[in-house]
Amino acid sequence: MDHPAPPVFRVKDLRKIYRSGEVEVQALRGVDFEASAGDFIVILGPSGSGKSTFLNIIGGLDRATSGEAWFLDHDLGHASEAGLTRYRRDHVGFIFQFYNLVPSLTAFENVKLVTEIARNPMDPAQALALVGLEERMDHFPAQLSGGEQQRVAIARAIAKQPDVLLCDEPTGALDSRTGVKVLEALTTVSARTGATTLVITHNAAIADIADRVVHFADGMIASETRNASRKPASAVSW
Ligand code: ADP
């Protein structure tokens, strides 16, 4: 009999307190969460509900105050700084609201920056083709629209063939039509590479493209729903 695959992420009673002087903010107040390989998960919730804090901790960019966060057999809570850096480099692709491309490098060169230090990269041209930018590889960021720049950022994130793709408001700066193109690129690369994908958004319309929808409220997961079927990104608008 086949054993079920172990979860890619296992999070238990995760808490995060930010302290500055007398002021204490409880950003996460006991989050339990699991994700399986290949899941496409949308995280919804109001501003300040802890979504970014959660994503940053499971992405190894920040540490919890208490609780557990595991990526496969990597204990992120007890990893050294060097261990977290290695974890991010080898396993995680990040996509943020702002694309952070290097302005003096072409789309191809921006992706190549990452593939040069990756263990098992794809060809930058192949990554750019996956997001539909094979014709724009030699363009500089300033010669590309916002949506195209975000697709370069997606190509850069997936070119190292990460196990997980963590996206924080990837369409936050884009209009609906452009945002849909970015979501199409994201769902395509996620399916092609099999990366477990988490997408934070405040935009409830985007929830329809997910397998699972996790709702954050007040530093906790308030509820979770599972979509019986996933809508293609092209069928979403806002
Ligand atoms: P969301 O992503 O849902 O908007 P965040 O995770 O960014 O929520 O923030 C959760 C809470 O933690 C908010 O009250 C926010 O102000 C606070 N917070 C986030 N980052 C910091 C920080 N570096 N220092 C202090 N407070 C922070």
Side-chain angles (χ1 to χ4, degrees):
M1 230 176 75
D2 287 346
H3 293 286
V8 175
F9 285 119
R10 259 180 313 133
V11 171
K12 264 196 175 344
D13 199 23
L14 203 69
R15 292 168 189 271
K16 176 72 177 181
I17 298 172
Y18 289 109
R19 287 195 181 86
S20 57
E22 297 287 280
V23 184
E24 206 174 76
V25 177
Q26 295 195 25
L28 296 178
R29 302 192 301 131
V31 170
D32 295 310
F33 173 82
E34 283 194 357
S36 305
D39 273 351
F40 195 108
I41 300 170
V42 162
I43 299 177
L44 288 176
S47 178
S49 59
K51 306 182 298 295
S52 297
T53 301
F54 172 71
L55 206 76
N56 289 344
I57 292 171
I58 64 171
L61 287 171
D62 196 0
R63 287 178 188 276
T65 306
S66 66
E68 292 181 36
W70 291 77
F71 166 78
L72 298 175
D73 58 352
H74 300 252
D75 180 353
L76 302 179
H78 291 96
S80 63
E81 281 309 310
L84 283 185
T85 301
R86 241 186 347 264
Y87 161 64
R88 292 195 304 266
R89 195 187 56 209
D90 292 342
H91 300 289
V92 189
F94 289 102
I95 297 162
F96 297 105
Q97 178 171 0
F98 300 105
Y99 331 120
N100 298 316
L101 301 177
V102 180
S104 59
L105 298 180
T106 64
F108 182 89
E109 290 164 343
N110 265 282
V111 177
K112 190 155 174 269
L113 266 190
V114 171
T115 59
E116 274 172 353
I117 56 164
R119 278 199 310 188
N120 177 31
M122 25 173 127
D123 182 337
Q126 186 195 349
L128 284 159
L130 268 180
V131 299
L133 288 178
E134 55 274 68
E135 308 287 321
R136 314 300 296 272
M137 288 197 295
D138 297 326
H139 286 66
F140 291 93
Q143 299 171 313
L144 299 169
S145 70
E148 287 166 343
Q149 290 185 54
Q150 187 61 301
R151 279 149 62 198
V152 175
I154 294 173
R156 178 181 59 184
I158 55 115
K160 62 180 176 181
Q161 311 219 52
D163 299 287
V164 299
L165 208 46
L166 302 181
C167 316
D168 195 344
E169 295 280 4
T171 61
L174 303 172
D175 62 76
S176 172
R177 211 166 61 89
T178 315
V180 164
K181 287 211 146 155
V182 165
L183 292 178
E184 284 181 307
L186 199 55
T187 49
T188 301
V189 300
S190 167
R192 290 280 184 86
T193 62
T196 304
T197 305
L198 277 71
V199 183
I200 289 180
T201 178
H202 63 272
N203 186 343
I206 293 177
D208 293 343
I209 71 171
D211 300 306
R212 294 167 57 192
V213 187
V214 172
H215 297 260
F216 269 71
D218 208 10
M220 292 189 281
I221 294 181
S223 64
E224 176 173 338
T225 49
R226 205 170 262 279
N227 288 329
S229 63
R230 290 174 62 185
K231 261 195 196 174
S234 56
V236 172
S237 65
W238 60 87

